[in-house]
Each structure stands twice: as structure tokens, then as C-alpha cells.
Amino acid sequence: MKPWDVPHLAEGSAAPQVDHDKVTVYNMRFCPFAQRTILVLLAKNIPFDVVNINLKKKPEWFLAETWGLVSVVRYQGNFIMESLINSDFIDEQFPTPPLHPSNPVEKAKGRLQVESFSKMSAPFYKMFYDFDLAELRSKQFAIILGKLEEMDKDLKRTGNKFFGGSSPGMTDLMVWPWIERLPVLDLRFPGEGLTIPDSLDNLVNWVKDMWEVPAIKEYGLSPEIHLQYSKSSANTGVPDYDFLIRPAENKPAEPRGFNFGGEQTFPPVFKF
């Protein structure tokens, strides 16, 4: 059993008992921001526990201890909020292997990349939840496409396999959650061309290489699972946070694959 394969705690639940000297992450299994923190811990091979939070019915103790958002890193009596901040905290508290470059200028450049690339998140969610017309979705995807082109250009300029160099670094892990979710647009709105263009070959190769990163193999989810989660709130307005940890007969279908760079790509098949 993985540390994140636990129910999401809601209002009225008792505060969890945690190990003072072990990292505990307040998480939500489908949150892209919280995913950043989990990927950093996995990439650095740091043992950790997870407390999943029902974000629609937040526990009282969670609201009292934090800003009410995930992720939160709890360690030695401290509560470190915000995924970018707590990811940096983890990298500094447990320095081996480092995920940031040692050169301050290069570290700053990586942070600027994250700031710029992450601007694709707002149009992604607008397309997914706010716009019913293909024309409006197309305008928002143009913003995303601009960020994808920027990513491809940066990879081409450096000639590196990853933004972090020959191995994935903090920049790669911080921007990955939105790239992982991008194929959901094509599943929900097929035929609208809401995919990474074949011409962005540097980015296409990066996506394939990222799916081979152990941390992403372990924690990443297929587009079908992300889509099922997003649809789970359609009737009640409350997402089904725990469908992945239910008996096998209630699990979503296994991934059927999706297109990156003109060929069928299969993320790892997850057994929960």
C-alpha cells in the first residue's frame, strides 16, 4: 500500500497522529499543486506519510493548523504551506540529491521558467469547467500553446533532455502536473485539436522521458482517471475523492493511451 492510498478526511474527523520526525504531507490525490510536493519527496527517496484532505468538507483541525489549502508539509512541529515553498524546503532540508542547480543564477532561471510555464493552468481550467463553446476553448488553448512552444524552445536551446539537464530537476517536477493533465482536454473535447502539436518535437520527447521517471511512474495518473475524477462531481457538486481505493469492481477502466507527437503513448498502468 502506498502512503497516499488512504481515505480523504473530512469535517468531524479526528486530527491524525503523526510522527514528529517524519515528513507528513497534507494532500489531495488529484490536486496538481500537491502532486508537486509528492514528486519531490519521491525523487529524493525521502520516507513520508500522507494525510488526504477532503477539500469540499475540510476538517476543523486542518483549517486551524494551515491556510486550508494543499499541499502542506508537516515536519517537526512546523507546517510549511504552498507547493513551491515546501518543495524548496524539502530540497534544502534533505539536500541529497539536489533538485536545484547550485549556481544561483541557474536556480533563478529555473524559477522563472516555472513561473512562466505555470501560466497554462488558468486557461486549462477555464476550458475544462467554464466554456461550452469550441470557439472559446480554442482561444484559451492558444494561450496554452504559447507556453508549450516556449517550453519546446527552451529545451531546444539547451539541448538537454530535461529542464534540469541530463536528469529531471525542480523545474521539471513543478511543471509536470499540468502536462500530465493536458490530454484530458482531447478526451473531453475530441476533434478540436487540443493536443501538443507534433512539430514541438523537443517537448514531445520530454513528455515521453518524463513518463519514465520513477517518481512519475509511481504517482502519475492516466488521462482517463483524471477525467473520471473531474466528472465525479457532476451530480452532487462534490468530487469522489476516494474512487481509486475502492474494490476493483468500482475502479475506472485502464488507460487506452493518448497521442503525443503523432504516436500512441501509454502511461504506466496503475493497480490500486
Side-chain angles (χ1 to χ4, degrees), residues 10 13 62 77 90 102-103 128 165 172 199 214 236 242 245-246 257 261:
S13 64
F62 175 67
I90 293 165
S102 58
N103 184 301
F128 209 77
D172 300 274
S199 58
T236 65
D242 293 330
I245 57 174
R246 293 211 185 93

Side-chain angles (χ1 to χ4, degrees), residues 66-99:
T66 75
W67 292 352
L69 303 170
V70 294
S71 63
V72 178
V73 167
R74 181 173 178 175
Y75 182 65
Q76 295 184 341
N78 299 295
F79 297 85
I80 314 298
M81 274 71 81
E82 296 291 316
S83 60
L84 290 176
I85 294 171
N86 60 44
S87 293
D88 278 350
F89 166 77
I90 293 165
D91 197 41
E92 293 172 9
Q93 182 70 30
F94 306 95
T96 304
L99 294 176

